[in-house]
Amino acid sequence: MTENQKRHRRRRKKPFPAAFLLFIIVILAVICAVISAAAYYFSGGAAVDNDVTQYDNDGDEIEIPDWITVDLLPINEYSRPGEATDEIVGIVVHYVGNAGTSAEANRSYFAGLAVSGATYASSNFIIGLEGEIIMCVPLGEIAYCSNSRNSDTVSIECCHPDETGEFTDETYASLVKLCAWLSELYDLTPTEDIIRHYDVTGKLCPLWYVEHEDEWEVFKSEVAAAING
């Protein structure tokens, strides 16, 4: 063997061990999964069909008013299980956990639970600070919002600007309008069949109407008046 051949042999690189190559492949797969999950979360979830046919207690198709934005969550274990409700016999009013947040931000949070799996939470509707209404879970499907009443009520989360929990005029007006429409749709009596989350579990939600019982009664009377008027 010549001297040049000896030097070339000494310089020849050893191949990477198979275990090292496998490690690199696994790391790249994890990075891709993280990127995909992040894209899913920040886009508000997977693409879904917002034209789902919805039915009332009698099995008649529901026509969703144009003042409601339908932006359904993807079906997933944590925020939209896709399970049918029982007969709807009530409406449960809530307020969102973070003051000053928008309806869209809360909808995105619910959608993100499909990835994070942090908890089980959602709502049929969210009403924003400017009165916008988003439908997140179709009528006739269970939303994870009202505990033992998930199966026989429609849930409404309301945004609020500060820690008092008082709704803006726009949020309040939309809540009255939405509750009146739902009461007519399901043949409910507003003064009896519209309740607070507090009435289900004792949780101080919606806070303003737990601390101001008289205003809660006024609200239900205004819903009844909206129906009769």
Side-chain angles (χ1 to χ4, degrees):
M1 180 180 295
T2 66
E3 189 64 29
N4 285 338
Q5 288 175 323
K6 291 180 181 179
R7 285 198 297 270
H8 179 73
R9 187 173 184 179
R10 285 197 297 268
R11 289 197 301 267
R12 185 180 299 166
K13 294 182 180 179
K14 295 181 179 180
F16 286 114
F20 180 79
L21 291 175
L22 179 61
F23 173 78
I24 294 297
I25 291 171
V26 170
I27 291 298
L28 290 174
V30 170
I31 291 172
C32 289
V34 170
I35 292 173
S36 297
Y40 183 104
Y41 178 84
F42 288 111
S43 67
V48 296
D49 181 8
N50 285 324
D51 294 325
V52 173
T53 303
Q54 303 177 49
Y55 300 94
D56 63 18
N57 286 337
D58 297 323
D60 296 326
E61 185 175 342
I62 299 171
E63 183 177 348
I64 307 300
D66 59 9
W67 39 268
I68 294 174
T69 299
V70 179
D71 192 5
L72 302 179
L73 304 175
I75 292 179
N76 68 91
E77 178 183 356
Y78 297 96
S79 56
R80 186 189 165 193
E83 299 175 8
T85 62
D86 299 327
E87 178 180 351
I88 297 299
V89 296
I91 301 167
V92 185
V93 177
H94 303 250
Y95 84 143
V96 300
N98 295 312
T101 55
S102 67
E104 184 58 40
N106 283 278
R107 187 263 175 208
S108 294
Y109 169 73
F110 291 150
L113 293 175
V115 173
S116 70
T119 188
Y120 295 88
S122 58
S123 184
N124 293 105
F125 297 94
I126 307 173
I127 302 179
L129 296 170
E130 297 179 359
E132 67 276 23
I133 302 173
I134 299 176
M135 174 187 283
C136 299
V137 176
L139 295 170
E141 280 190 27
I142 286 176
Y144 289 140
C145 200
S146 306
N147 304 86
S148 62
R149 299 301 304 276
N150 285 338
S151 62
D152 66 356
T153 60
V154 176
S155 52
I156 305 172
E157 287 276 7
C158 298
C159 298
H160 52 99
D162 56 47
E163 65 278 356
T164 67
E166 184 176 10
F167 301 159
T168 64
D169 291 343
E170 293 83 359
T171 301
Y172 182 87
S174 289
L175 181 61
V176 170
K177 186 176 184 178
L178 179 57
C179 285
W181 177 68
L182 290 169
S183 294
E184 288 189 287
L185 180 64
Y186 291 110
D187 194 24
L188 305 177
T189 302
T191 54
E192 299 175 7
D193 299 328
I194 301 176
I195 61 175
R196 303 160 296 182
H197 193 187
Y198 172 78
D199 299 311
V200 180
T201 65
K203 181 179 180 179
L204 302 182
C205 172
L207 180 63
W208 181 264
Y209 291 109
V210 174
E211 296 183 340
H212 300 82
E213 292 273 356
D214 54 336
E215 294 195 26
W216 176 247
E217 296 303 320
V218 169
F219 161 72
K220 292 189 292 182
S221 297
E222 291 195 8
V223 175
I227 295 172
N228 298 327

